[in-house]
Each structure stands twice: as C-alpha cells, then as structure tokens.
Amino acid sequence: MTTAPAPVALLQHRFASALPELTHAARAAEAPQPQLVVLNDALAADLGLDPARLRTPEGLGLLTGTVVPEGATPVAQAYAGHQFGGFARLGDGRALLMGELVDADGRLRDLHLKGSGRTPFARGGDGLAALGPMLREYVVSEAMHALGIPTTRSLAVVATGRGVRREEILPGAVLARIASSHLRVGSVQFARASDDTDLLRRVVDHAIERHHPEVASDPQPHLAFYRAVISAQADLVARWMLVGFVHGVMNTDNMTLSGETIDYGPCAFLDAFDPSTVFSSIDEGGRYAYANQPAAAEWNLARLGEAMLPLLADEQDRAVEIATEALGAFRTEYATAYSTGLRAKLGVLHADPAEADRIGTSVLELLEASHVDHTSFWRHLATAARDDAEPVRGMFLDLAAIDGWLVEWRALSPDAEAMDHLNPLYVARNHLVEEALAAATGGDLAPLGRLLEAVSAPFHERPGLERYAEPAPADFGRYRTFCGT
Ligand code: AMP
Ligand code: MG
C-alpha cells in the first residue's frame, strides 16, 4: 500500500477566512530557474519544516509560491496607509500571504513571500524584487532578531532566474518571510476607510486574538488593545534607538500591530552618532531621520487611534478624548524604555537613575560632537570599565571632555560584564552589507555567509571576525539607501 507524501508544509488560512474583505486570491509568477541562495535552517526547524525538503524542487516551489500545498489559500492583503503623511489605499503589490504555520511554541506565524509577482494591488509595479534588496532584508532582519529586537524573520531567499528591470537588469528573487502576523496600522485604516464598523471590529478582534489575547477579557477590550499596541511600539522604537537602527520608511502601512519591526527597505544602522541621520534617498525632508523615529511612531499611533474611534465610544467627541488620553502614555512609556535601556548600555542600572540619566544624556552630546562610531563606542566603553580607557579616548576629538565624563561615569561603578551582554560588537554595518550583497549578486556567497555568521551572535567576540567589528573605512563616504527596489 502506498500513502501520498505529506505536503511540504501544512498551511492554515486563518487570515483569509476571518477577513475576506482584506484579501485578494492571487498566484505567484513562474520562477523559470529557482535557485536557493540562503535558507534559515534553524528557523525552518522551529516552524516544523524540514530544511532538506525545502531544498528540493517542491520546497523551492513553496518558497517562491509556485507550488501551493493542498488546502492553502495564498492571498494578497489589502491595507491602507499614510505614506510620508499622505493617505492611500494600498495592498501587497508584490507579496503573497501563503498562509499560517504553527511553530514549535504553538504560536501562529505567517508565511509570506515578497517579490512573488504582480497582484491586483500592483498598480504600476512589476510585482518583482531584485536579489540584493531581498538579501538585505534577510541579513538585517536576522541581525535585529539576534539583537533581541522584535522583528519579522527571514526563512529563505530564492533567486528566480528571471531578470528584473530597474536602472539596469538585475537578478530577481523571492524572500520568504515569517511574522507573527502582517497586520499593520494600515490594516485598521483600510477597514475604517471602508466605512464598515463590523469589518473594523473584526480586524481589531483578529489582531487581539493573535497578538494581545490578554485584553479580550478587559471590560473595554478595544481600548485595551490600543494601549497594548502603543506600549509595544514605544518599547520597539526605544530598542531601535538604543542600537542605532534607522528604519527609513515608517509609513503606517509599515508599522505592525504586533510590535515587530517590518519591511526592511532603506533601513540602516548608524555609523557615526548623528541624530539627524537619514539614509533613504526618498526621505528628502528627513521625516524618518534617526531622532524623529519616536515622534513618527507616535504620529502613526495617533492615526491608529483615529481609525479605531468607532470602537472606542458611540459619541465621536468622547471617542477622541479616550484615544487622546490613551496615546498620552506613549511619551512616558517610550522615555522609560529608552532611559532604562541607556542606563543598561552604560552598565549602571544599579546607580541612581537621575544621575545615570544625566550622564547618559551628556555622553550622547559628546558622541555627536566628535562623530563617534556608535556601535564601537559602547563596546570600547566596557573595556574602559575594565581599566583600559585608551580605545574610548582614541575616538574623541575633545579629550578633556571625554576624560571628565569618564571620571563621572566610573564613579557609578559600571558593570563591564553586563555591558558586553547588551552592547553588540557586530551589527549589519552598511559597508559590510554592501560588500556582501555585491558579492552575492555576482555569484560569490562567501561574504554574505560570514556577515550572517557575525551578526547572528552579535555580543560574542570571536577570532577571525575583527573586521566585522570595525567602523566603515573613511573612503566609504556618505551612505544612501533606496526603497521599493
Ligand atoms: P513599501 O514601501 O516597500 O512597503 O511598499 C509600498 C507599497 O508599494 C506596497 O503596497 C508594496 O506592495 C508596493 N510595491 C513596492 N514595490 C512594488 C513592485 N515592484 N511591484 C508592485 N508593488 C510594489
Ligand atoms: Mg510596506
């Protein structure tokens, strides 16, 4: 007797079933010559997927969307969003939600493909993605995960064998991404713009079920949900700021309800510490500059509150009052998360908070004035806590100022050991990302592999990885990133 082989993945279709108004059934474009570029074996195993099977033609079919497991319902998701402040109805123009998987911890996770071909939301776009940007999302999202920052994960990048027309013809690829969901602030905005309160309620109830089940029993579950998203985002953006991450395109369609970082486009890590840093070529006004990220998040959360008004109270004025009061918590929650995190980076969590905060603020001013490399400063500072201040001193122009600061900081008895556990040695530095992507696009995957190795264990110093801890060479110049490529 023969039995049919089990499908390569058992996919659920909870989102598609619960919210058909937010979905469009869609199919992936053919991948003429699929070739696996990178696979996240550990993540695959965590999702109950067999990495060996994902490497077969059937597995590559799943990872590019060209093989749809029995029972799965791939959909493009509809959402809306404020993009650089302007409202638009959008949706996955080049992405597919293949369905949901249950991971080893029993959590529901989306399997989502990016670059899988045109959907009804594609507008003028070709629905495709180039290999470089998909690898960039892979590297940076995995680096963020290893830093302990909530994020979507990357399962695989598969080159399709199809050329993608940009300024030149580039190799095409599909990124397989995993998220606790792809519900965004823009998903709620889409429901609100549809003027259908029942739909709005179902979207929010679906988000509650998936991300904040604890609020379901609250006497005001929708308000409690709004508060929970505010807290999650305040905490997330504080973590970005502490590690020097610039998202680059914080539109409301790129802000999740789960509190995971999503949509790695023009993102980058700071080299020199400069609050006004903008990497994205399209962010001409600096709306999403490093220092503006908390304010941008708060603005987005105000849009979420607006979209939820019909669920907060029957009378609009009362609903506005309730939403405004709830949003008021963002600034305090952000400030608490940030200052606690900064004190931890300084190794002085045990010290008087007011004094430690003062010291934290003053060192940031010194970093900015001397254009100090953000990541290596914190790491060298732990060395200074162990009695060798020379690496830190060597980074500053104003020696008298840093020496004075070091005296004050040492008086708080910093804990070097604790600092090394939360100040990374290896981040996805811009020059290293560029080097790895250029090599990979030319067929050499070795630099990408080494970079992934470094950033996947960012706190643990290892011999042979010295250059991954070093600042960009002086001739690397000003860094620019590009969106939607
Ligand atoms: P993003 O800023 O990358 O989050 O993208 C904004 C919107 O543009 C999303 O709705 C995307 O699906 C869509 N989009 C981006 N690039 C393409 C493309 N090449 N083809 C179709 N849609 C795209
Ligand atoms: Mg997006």
Side-chain angles (χ1 to χ4, degrees), residues 46-305:
D46 193 39
L47 295 166
L49 301 173
D50 174 2
R53 201 120 174 242
L54 289 176
R55 291 186 162 86
T56 65
E58 183 198 16
L60 296 191
L62 174 72
L63 296 171
T64 50
T66 51
V67 170
V68 177
E70 214 181 300
T73 308
V75 293
Q77 293 177 299
Y79 44 82
H82 280 90
Q83 300 191 301
F84 289 91
F87 184 79
R89 280 178 187 255
L90 306 159
D92 291 330
R94 56 163 172 176
L96 283 180
L97 172 63
M98 293 298 286
E100 302 96 5
L101 290 155
V102 179
D103 72 12
D105 296 325
R107 293 176 305 169
L108 207 59
R109 312 274 291 271
D110 280 4
L111 170 60
H112 176 98
L113 307 180
K114 193 162 166 181
S116 50
R118 286 179 55 89
T119 76
F121 302 110
R123 298 173 291 175
D126 59 7
L128 304 175
L131 177 60
M134 295 306 98
L135 288 175
R136 197 181 154 76
E137 171 152 345
Y138 188 106
V139 173
V140 183
S141 65
E142 287 305 300
M144 293 285 272
H145 172 72
L147 290 165
I149 300 175
T151 176
T152 60
R153 302 286 309 277
S154 292
L155 177 62
V157 173
V158 179
T160 58
R162 181 197 297 270
V164 178
R165 187 180 295 275
R166 295 293 180 257
E167 270 160 19
E168 52 194 315
I169 306 283
L170 299 170
V174 175
L175 168 78
R177 168 163 98 181
I178 305 296
S180 70
S181 90
H182 283 77
L183 288 159
R184 308 141 191 269
V185 168
S187 311
V188 181
Q189 291 183 292
F190 179 90
R192 178 68 199 275
S194 308
D195 217 7
D196 176 345
T197 306
D198 172 62
L199 175 62
L200 180 64
R201 182 172 295 109
R202 282 189 292 117
V203 170
V204 173
D205 287 344
H206 186 72
I208 289 176
E209 191 184 317
R210 290 190 68 167
H211 304 302
H212 303 287
E214 73 286 354
V215 309
S217 55
D218 192 281
Q220 291 174 287
H222 296 135
L223 173 59
F225 168 77
Y226 184 42
R227 290 192 203 280
V229 178
I230 290 168
S231 296
Q233 286 292 340
D235 182 69
L236 178 68
V237 177
R239 288 168 186 264
W240 290 357
M241 298 300 284
L242 291 162
V243 80
F245 176 76
V246 183
H247 181 283
V249 58
M250 290 177 70
N251 294 331
T252 56
D253 51 304
N254 291 337
M255 183 187 249
T256 59
L257 300 180
S258 63
E260 288 176 353
T261 311
I262 196 173
D263 272 0
Y264 293 85
C267 61
F269 288 88
L270 293 182
D271 287 305
F273 182 76
D274 176 354
S276 70
T277 303
V278 178
F279 293 112
S280 170
S281 58
I282 59 165
D283 191 0
E284 284 161 13
R287 181 181 174 97
Y288 301 133
Y290 171 76
N292 285 353
Q293 295 186 115
E298 186 185 32
W299 191 90
N300 289 348
L301 291 164
R303 306 289 79 73
L304 176 62

Side-chain angles (χ1 to χ4, degrees), residues 415-432:
D415 177 347
E417 183 76 21
M419 292 171 75
D420 280 346
H421 284 112
L422 54 94
N423 292 316
L425 188 60
Y426 312 112
V427 297
R429 289 180 177 276
N430 304 319
H431 67 289
L432 299 171

